Amino acid sequence: MQEVKEKKETIPCKPENYELCCHFINAFQIIGKKWNGLIISSLCDTEDMRFKDLARCIEACSDRVLVERLKELEREEIVKRSVDKNTGIISYGLTEKGADLKPVFDQVHNWADKWA
């Protein structure tokens, strides 16, 4: 017997209901948090990055805050942490969920180049 997964019905958000659009709010709570956008954007441009290279990309962010944000993004399953078994080198990359943000960030970059 084949099990059929029910797809959640999502109602499109209308301007008068934006405060009720929890998916939109949740998305911006994640990607709108300080430094998260830059972390995700940096990881969009490469397969995996070591912590020190990521820290170099986001110099204004302290190491402590960067570690905190990476852990948050890991919990959200946007970033994955990998440890090389031979060298012990830790690197970070995007999960499939995180990689799905690449076109979004490409558009933000395009908008920023034009308007910001």
Side-chain angles (χ1 to χ4, degrees), residues 14-62:
K14 296 179 181 175
E16 62 270 16
N17 296 325
Y18 280 162
E19 69 181 36
L20 303 175
C21 188
C22 61
H23 298 293
F24 186 80
I25 292 167
N26 291 342
F28 269 90
Q29 285 177 336
I30 298 166
I31 63 176
K33 192 168 191 176
K34 190 170 185 177
W35 307 118
N36 283 359
L38 287 174
I39 292 167
I40 295 166
S41 182
S42 297
L43 292 173
C44 280
D45 297 332
T46 184
E47 196 162 313
D48 285 325
M49 289 182 89
R50 292 175 65 178
F51 180 87
K52 68 178 186 170
D53 298 325
L54 194 51
R56 242 184 264 135
C57 287
I58 312 168
E59 291 177 351
C61 181
S62 71

Side-chain angles (χ1 to χ4, degrees), residues 39-40 62-63 69 80 89 94 100:
I39 292 167
I40 295 166
S62 71
D63 286 354
R69 294 298 181 266
K80 65 179 176 358
I89 293 173
L94 294 176
D100 276 353

